[in-house]
Amino acid sequence: MSDAPAMRDLLGADAPSNWGKWGPDDELGALNYLDAGEVLRGIQHVTSGETFTLQIQMGRTDGPGDPLWPGREGIKRKNELDEGTWDGEGAPAFPGGLHYADDTAHIFLQGSTQYDALGHVWYDGKLWNGYDARSTIDAMQKASVLPIAEKGIVGRGVLIDMARHRGKDYLDKGETFDHTDLEAAAAAQGVAIEPHDILCVRTGWMKYWYDLNDPAKFYEGFKEPGLTYSRELVEWFQDREVPNLVTDTIANEVTYEPETGVALPLHCALMRNLGVTLTEIAWLDDLADACAADGRWSFLYVAAPLKVVNGTGAPVNPIAIR
C-alpha cells in the first residue's frame, strides 16, 4: 500500500527493544536465553525417544516443487559425476575399479526450511543491536547467521497447532492470530507456553502447499496466514523471553499487516528489535499428529543451521525429540 505508514511510525519510537541487553557486540539476541540449564530442561521432555525431522524436502521434481518467498528459486542440483562419466575415453580410473557420483547445487540460503540471520531485515538504517545497515554491503559483517550456527539451538520446544485448534487442515489465506490465541490454543491442548520455550506454531500452510499442488493458485494474491502485529503481542514475546519462533509458513507472520498494509512488521519488531530468531518453512504436520495422539506437546528441540560465513540465513533440518 502506497499510503502505508513507515515502520518506525507503526512500531513507535519507544518500541520494545533488547538492544544492548547482552552487550554492544552481541549477535545472538534472544538465543542467549538458551543456556545449559535450558538444554537440560528440554531433555526432561524426552520420554519416548521418537524423533521428527522438520525440514521440507529440497529439490523435489514431482508435485509443486519447493515453497519459497516470491522472487527466490528452488535448489538447482546438477550431477557432476555419475556412471555415465565412466563411459567415455579418459574416464577416471582408481585402483580396484570403484566408480562414484558427485553433484553440485545452487541454492538460495533461505530457499528451504531455514534460519534467518538477525541482520536479515531492518529499517531506518539499523540492524539488530543497532549495527549499521551499511555493514550488510557485499557481505553481512554483523548479525549474520554464523553466530547462530556456531551456537546451535537446543531447548524445550512447544508446538501450538492453530489449524487443529480452529478445526481446520490449514488456515485460510491472510487468517490471523495473536498471543491470546496462542495462549487459548495452548490451554486447549493442555500445555503451557513457558519462558524460554522455542515456540513452534503450525498453521497447516505447508500441507496446503502440497495438497493444492498448484503454485500459481498458491501465490495468487499472496498473503500467508500467521501472527499479526500489535504492541501487546511484541511485549508478550519480550516478557516471555521467547528465543526462537518456528512456523510452517514462508515468512512467520501474516504477509501484510491487515489494518495498515505494512509488510512483515514482526520481522522488525521481533527480530530486529528483540533479537528473536525466526525459523521458516518448517514441516510440522507429522510432529503435530504425534503430539495430538498422546497429548504431549512439548519436546526437546535441536537445530544446527549451516555455518555460512556472512550469510543472511542458512538451511536447517531441525529435530524434535519426544
Side-chain angles (χ1 to χ4, degrees):
M1 295 174 63
S2 59
D3 58 349
M7 192 68 72
R8 64 180 174 276
D9 294 331
L10 176 66
L11 304 187
D14 62 343
S17 173
N18 284 334
W19 289 11
K21 181 171 183 174
W22 297 284
D25 300 321
D26 179 70
E27 298 179 78
L28 287 174
L31 290 181
N32 282 289
Y33 294 130
L34 296 180
D35 59 14
E38 292 301 326
V39 174
L40 295 174
R41 184 171 73 98
I43 290 171
Q44 293 173 9
H45 292 264
V46 178
T47 60
S48 62
E50 299 167 273
T51 60
F52 295 85
T53 57
L54 307 183
Q55 184 185 19
I56 63 166
Q57 296 178 357
M58 298 179 70
R60 286 180 59 165
T61 56
D62 62 320
D66 299 341
L68 304 165
W69 180 258
R72 292 175 181 155
E73 297 178 340
I75 183 172
K76 295 180 178 178
R77 195 202 59 79
K78 177 185 176 184
N79 273 23
E80 299 292 345
L81 294 174
D82 53 34
E83 182 59 19
T85 305
W86 276 266
D87 290 344
E89 294 289 332
F94 293 92
L98 70 83
H99 296 179
Y100 66 96
D102 240 342
D103 51 6
T104 57
H106 178 273
I107 63 173
F108 272 77
L109 290 176
Q110 297 179 52
S112 179
T113 310
Q114 53 87 24
Y115 267 74
D116 281 349
L118 288 184
H120 171 53
V121 171
W122 63 89
Y123 66 95
D124 284 356
K126 296 292 184 182
L127 316 178
W128 156 250
N129 217 28
Y131 295 122
D132 190 334
R134 306 294 294 180
S135 65
T136 67
I137 294 176
D138 293 329
M140 186 159 281
Q141 299 296 331
K142 294 290 187 179
S144 78
V145 78
L146 182 62
I148 294 172
E150 293 279 8
K151 175 180 173 58
I153 301 91
V154 184
R156 179 191 191 251
V158 61
L159 176 63
I160 306 301
D161 193 340
M162 286 304 303
R164 194 180 303 263
H165 178 63
R166 292 184 173 177
K168 300 179 176 183
D169 287 335
Y170 19 77
L171 300 187
D172 299 327
K173 284 189 176 184
E175 185 172 349
T176 65
F177 51 91
D178 63 13
H179 57 296
T180 63
D181 297 309
L182 292 176
E183 294 276 20
Q189 292 173 189
V191 68
I193 301 172
E194 300 176 358
H196 303 168
D197 279 349
I198 297 163
L199 181 58
C200 304
V201 182
R202 177 182 174 270
T203 68
W205 206 234
M206 286 300 98
K207 177 177 172 58
Y208 175 65
W209 165 264
Y210 292 112
D211 285 355
L212 183 64
N213 196 25
D214 185 343
K217 188 173 181 180
F218 179 87
Y219 288 112
E220 182 181 356
F222 184 66
K223 191 173 184 181
E224 293 191 290
L227 288 166
T228 189
Y229 168 78
S230 71
R231 175 65 173 251
E232 293 75 19
L233 179 140
V234 177
E235 291 173 346
W236 183 87
F237 268 82
Q238 186 177 39
D239 292 343
R240 291 302 179 99
E241 298 184 339
V242 176
N244 188 183
L245 173 64
V246 181
T247 77
D248 61 351
T249 62
I250 297 172
N252 273 143
E253 59 180 296
V254 67
T255 313
Y256 301 99
E257 201 274 325
E259 293 187 7
T260 64
V262 170
L264 306 181
L266 290 181
H267 272 63
C268 296
L270 299 183
M271 184 167 65
R272 187 258 198 190
N273 291 347
L274 296 186
V276 176
T277 298
L278 302 184
T279 308
E280 297 156 336
I281 321 180
W283 178 254
L284 300 175
D285 288 61
D286 295 331
L287 175 61
D289 288 344
C291 292
D294 62 13
R296 291 187 293 124
W297 295 91
S298 59
F299 41 86
L300 177 66
Y301 177 97
V302 180
L306 299 182
K307 295 183 180 182
V308 182
V309 176
N310 302 133
T312 66
V316 68
N317 183 15
I319 302 177
I321 308 170
R322 302 176 73 242

